[in-house]
Amino acid sequence: MRARNLELDVIKGVCIIGIVFSHAKHGLVWISYFFLFSFYFVGGMIYREKTFKNLLLSKIKRMYIPFVMANLFAEIICSFLRKTTKYFGGGGYSWNLHVISILKFNLTETLMAPAWFLFPLFCISFLFFFLKKNIKNDRIIFGITFVIFVIAVHYRNVLQKIEWNSCAIITNLAIGLFLYTCGYLYYHNEFAKEYIEKGKYAFDFFVVSIILLCEAKYYWNYYIDLRAGIISNGKWMLVTCISGIYFLLYFSTWVVKQGIYLKRILIYVGRRSMSIMFFHILSFNIFTLIGIYILHDTNTVSWTNALYGKWYYGYINAFIGITVPLIFGYLLEKAWNNIKKLKIE
């Protein structure tokens, strides 16, 4: 396996941990300011030239089917909990409406909210496919997507009203397509990779990227909710994109080369980022039920149904949201491997 693939796993690992911590309302929420940008960027890095048919089948297999199966599984669990307890998570929608919504690649409730960006990412891969098919010069593609990006950010207050899955779909397609293009161009640019890995000022830019991310979060009152298309400052959003992605690229390179245990952990988490994304909110819900019905905790719950109110709840929720999906994923993978061995024998 090429080292670059390991670096992608590290990036995905860092980003999914950022998602879980931000949803747990932990102090590390500033990570969430660039993790979704990075998923679009990574999508471009792993893009490969295919026929339209093969691309469609690949995206259905890797994105649509996991989306449907994970949501159906979560709804079964939520339906059972609603009937056997006073559990109120999962939105309370009827089974028929929920299934139809899932098959339409849409969501009508908040439990599986972290999956919202899969639909924009699904569409972006095909938009980029058509650009590559009709425009041979990558620099022209970059220029077109950057112009679209600037226009979308400038008119974001109007475009955010066009929604799909409670997502400002046009804004996300425009921003995501530009970052997707950047990811593709970076992956195929040996000079850029060499500069970040061995450049004289690579570490200096890494430090600057951390400072800029902290500045955007703590000192400039900068706010962004990419799902809703809310961006308080377009220029700082671009700074956040560049700084956050550079931070992840340099950090992933360093971890792969220097890390030992941290490298193994992040790669393991990154390779299972999809299952964590789908099931960490469900894990929050289960933990909440334990707190309500066993510990008799009376703290108010939020849209994630995660218990708040005490300083350690953020750590517990984040830990639960990462480890529970990993454990279940490991057990399912092991069971599947055993089934395949039995078939061979």
Side-chain angles (χ1 to χ4, degrees), residues 209-226:
S209 69
I210 296 176
I211 294 173
L212 288 174
L213 288 170
C214 292
E215 286 282 329
K217 168 62 180 174
Y218 294 109
Y219 297 103
W220 289 88
N221 196 28
Y222 169 55
Y223 177 76
I224 181 170
D225 181 351
L226 195 58

Side-chain angles (χ1 to χ4, degrees), residues 291-311:
I292 293 175
Y293 295 107
I294 298 178
L295 303 178
H296 303 290
D297 198 300
T298 59
N299 282 289
T300 304
V301 296
S302 75
W303 68 274
T304 61
N305 295 312
L307 291 173
Y308 301 137
K310 297 180 181 178
W311 66 270

Side-chain angles (χ1 to χ4, degrees), residues 111-125:
L111 180 64
M112 303 301 282
W116 68 266
F117 73 95
L118 282 184
F119 181 71
L121 187 57
F122 184 88
C123 296
I124 286 166
S125 61

Side-chain angles (χ1 to χ4, degrees), residues 192-316:
K193 287 188 273 188
E194 183 73 12
Y195 183 84
I196 290 178
E197 293 178 6
K198 301 178 182 179
K200 181 178 179 180
Y201 300 104
F203 179 74
D204 296 328
F205 281 114
F206 174 69
V207 174
V208 171
S209 69
I210 296 176
I211 294 173
L212 288 174
L213 288 170
C214 292
E215 286 282 329
K217 168 62 180 174
Y218 294 109
Y219 297 103
W220 289 88
N221 196 28
Y222 169 55
Y223 177 76
I224 181 170
D225 181 351
L226 195 58
R227 176 175 184 174
I230 300 173
I231 303 165
S232 62
N233 189 304
K235 293 178 181 178
W236 268 104
M237 190 197 73
L238 185 58
V239 170
T240 301
C241 288
I242 297 172
S243 301
I245 290 172
Y246 188 90
F247 169 88
L248 288 172
L249 290 173
Y250 183 89
F251 179 75
S252 64
T253 300
W254 178 85
V255 168
V256 169
K257 290 185 175 180
Q258 306 294 334
I260 301 177
Y261 296 109
L262 180 61
K263 171 184 173 181
R264 293 177 182 176
I265 292 171
L266 289 177
I267 288 175
Y268 188 83
V269 171
R271 289 177 179 174
R272 290 155 181 82
S273 58
M274 188 73 80
S275 61
I276 296 174
M277 180 191 69
F278 279 122
F279 296 119
H280 73 276
I281 298 296
L282 183 60
S283 301
F284 287 172
N285 278 257
I286 294 172
F287 173 63
T288 298
L289 284 177
I290 295 173
I292 293 175
Y293 295 107
I294 298 178
L295 303 178
H296 303 290
D297 198 300
T298 59
N299 282 289
T300 304
V301 296
S302 75
W303 68 274
T304 61
N305 295 312
L307 291 173
Y308 301 137
K310 297 180 181 178
W311 66 270
Y312 52 82
Y313 277 156
Y315 289 103
I316 295 175

Side-chain angles (χ1 to χ4, degrees), residues 18 20-33 217-218 311 314-315 318:
V20 176
F21 269 85
S22 64
H23 286 160
K25 301 298 182 183
H26 195 273
L28 293 176
V29 70
W30 69 277
I31 295 177
S32 68
Y33 276 62
K217 168 62 180 174
Y218 294 109
W311 66 270
Y315 289 103

Side-chain angles (χ1 to χ4, degrees), residues 2-240:
R2 294 178 61 188
R4 178 56 51 181
N5 291 333
L6 296 180
E7 292 170 8
L8 288 175
D9 290 330
V10 171
I11 291 174
K12 289 189 290 185
V14 173
C15 290
I16 200 65
I17 290 173
I19 290 176
V20 176
F21 269 85
S22 64
H23 286 160
K25 301 298 182 183
H26 195 273
L28 293 176
V29 70
W30 69 277
I31 295 177
S32 68
Y33 276 62
F34 61 85
F35 68 79
L36 278 178
F37 299 139
S38 302
F39 274 116
Y40 288 137
F41 186 85
V42 168
M45 292 178 71
I46 63 177
Y47 177 86
R48 299 293 180 269
E49 299 286 348
K50 298 178 181 179
T51 63
F52 179 81
K53 179 182 177 181
N54 289 337
L55 178 64
L56 179 61
L57 292 175
S58 173
K59 295 306 175 184
I60 290 175
K61 179 182 177 181
R62 295 180 179 276
M63 298 177 70
Y64 180 71
I65 292 178
F67 176 89
V68 171
M69 297 303 294
N71 278 277
L72 289 177
F73 174 79
E75 178 58 21
I76 291 172
I77 297 296
C78 291
S79 298
F80 172 77
L81 293 176
R82 281 195 292 268
K83 290 180 179 179
T84 56
T85 69
K86 296 179 180 179
Y87 172 78
F88 52 85
Y93 292 90
S94 69
W95 174 258
N96 291 338
L97 288 176
H98 194 74
V99 171
I100 292 173
S101 176
I102 292 170
L103 294 176
K104 289 169 60 180
F105 218 142
N106 195 7
L107 293 173
T108 57
E109 45 86 22
T110 59
L111 180 64
M112 303 301 282
W116 68 266
F117 73 95
L118 282 184
F119 181 71
L121 187 57
F122 184 88
C123 296
I124 286 166
S125 61
F126 291 99
L127 291 174
F128 187 76
F129 170 84
F130 288 115
L131 284 175
K132 284 288 295 178
K133 190 173 183 64
N134 294 287
I135 302 174
K136 302 303 180 183
N137 192 316
D138 289 340
R139 293 182 179 180
I140 295 177
I141 295 176
F142 174 82
I144 292 173
T145 57
F146 180 70
V147 171
I148 294 173
F149 169 85
V150 172
I151 293 173
V153 172
H154 183 73
Y155 292 104
R156 59 187 179 275
N157 293 331
V158 176
L159 295 176
Q160 70 178 352
K161 298 176 183 178
I162 305 173
E163 293 187 349
W164 173 267
N165 187 23
S166 299
C167 159
I169 186 65
I170 302 299
T171 305
N172 272 274
L173 290 179
I175 294 174
L177 181 60
F178 171 64
L179 294 171
Y180 195 94
T181 302
C182 290
Y184 176 83
L185 295 178
Y186 171 80
Y187 185 84
H188 292 84
N189 191 321
E190 293 299 327
F191 175 77
K193 287 188 273 188
E194 183 73 12
Y195 183 84
I196 290 178
E197 293 178 6
K198 301 178 182 179
K200 181 178 179 180
Y201 300 104
F203 179 74
D204 296 328
F205 281 114
F206 174 69
V207 174
V208 171
S209 69
I210 296 176
I211 294 173
L212 288 174
L213 288 170
C214 292
E215 286 282 329
K217 168 62 180 174
Y218 294 109
Y219 297 103
W220 289 88
N221 196 28
Y222 169 55
Y223 177 76
I224 181 170
D225 181 351
L226 195 58
R227 176 175 184 174
I230 300 173
I231 303 165
S232 62
N233 189 304
K235 293 178 181 178
W236 268 104
M237 190 197 73
L238 185 58
V239 170
T240 301

